[in-house]
Amino acid sequence: MKRYLHALLTFTALALAIPAVASAHPDGHHHHNHQQPARPNIDWSAMPADIQALKTQLDQIKTEQKSLFQQMKSQNEQIREAGKALSKDKRKSLKQPAKQLIEKMKASKEAIREMRDLKRESWSSFHENAEKKQWAAAKTDMETIVKQKRQIIEKQQNIVRLQKQLITLIGPSAQS
């Protein structure tokens, strides 16, 4: 019974990498039906050129985030499949190093969540300032959003690196 519990705990620890990937999705959600309040459509062409340029940067970041998310999703599947192939003894031997990597992923996931909350606040401020045509303040908001999105990407890249480490850790073990 003790071995069974130990194996179950180890597999659970490996499976915890999955939520880290889901929460790192570029839109902040993945395959669930939570509705955020609809934002009013913005006529970007009516904005000053410097704000339009920042919007272009945001679009490029979003494209990069989508690519990162696909990579995280693919790696997560590799982790899941490799975890299923592990023997009880291999799971036991990998428990501690895997747990450390998973804890780092969780920390990155939590940091992403916090940054997203700040980004939402910045978007609200941007919308208010843009509506009032307060372009200097709107530009500052947009610069903040770009900076926040870049910080989120750094954390997502960190998750990708940690997943690769976990795959490397599990991979050879799953084959033997």
Side-chain angles (χ1 to χ4, degrees):
M1 182 66 159
K2 191 174 182 180
R3 281 182 124 181
Y4 172 77
L5 281 173
H6 192 64
L8 183 63
L9 286 172
T10 302
F11 186 71
T12 302
L14 292 174
L16 287 175
I18 296 166
V21 173
S23 74
H25 189 273
D27 295 327
H29 60 276
H30 181 70
H31 298 298
H32 50 71
N33 295 322
H34 294 169
Q35 291 287 334
Q36 290 186 356
R39 291 193 182 148
N41 283 339
I42 296 175
D43 181 6
W44 291 101
S45 64
M47 301 276 173
D50 50 353
I51 293 178
Q52 289 180 38
L54 289 167
K55 169 65 167 121
T56 300
Q57 287 182 38
L58 281 179
D59 291 342
Q60 291 167 345
I61 291 169
K62 189 173 183 175
T63 300
E64 185 178 348
Q65 282 184 302
K66 285 181 181 181
S67 173
L68 277 171
F69 181 70
Q70 289 304 318
Q71 190 175 359
M72 287 186 286
K73 187 176 175 183
S74 171
Q75 288 178 175
N76 190 58
E77 189 60 35
Q78 290 175 12
I79 290 166
R80 189 181 355 223
E81 292 304 314
K84 288 178 184 176
L86 292 175
S87 69
K88 289 180 185 180
D89 290 340
K90 293 293 181 182
R91 284 179 205 207
K92 184 177 180 179
S93 71
L94 294 176
K95 182 181 179 182
Q96 195 56 41
K99 183 179 178 183
Q100 291 171 357
L101 290 171
I102 291 165
E103 289 300 319
K104 289 178 183 176
M105 280 189 250
K106 283 182 181 179
S108 289
K109 170 186 150 185
E110 184 59 34
I112 289 169
R113 188 176 300 124
E114 291 170 9
M115 286 182 228
R116 279 209 180 98
D117 291 342
L118 293 173
K119 183 181 54 96
R120 283 186 195 104
E121 291 172 16
S122 297
W123 269 114
S124 288
S125 179
F126 171 79
H127 282 275
E128 289 173 22
N129 288 320
E131 204 173 284
K132 297 174 187 171
K133 299 190 185 310
Q134 295 175 344
W135 301 125
K139 179 182 177 187
T140 300
D141 293 334
M142 196 60 133
E143 289 169 339
T144 300
I145 293 165
V146 168
K147 180 181 174 189
Q148 291 165 332
K149 294 280 277 182
R150 286 194 176 127
Q151 290 171 338
I152 290 169
I153 278 205
E154 287 175 19
K155 295 296 182 186
Q156 289 170 323
Q157 289 168 334
N158 186 48
I159 290 172
V160 167
R161 283 189 293 275
L162 291 167
Q163 282 182 317
K164 285 180 182 177
Q165 291 175 20
L166 190 55
I167 290 167
T168 301
L169 179 71
I170 299 171
S173 302
Q175 322 238 324
S176 53

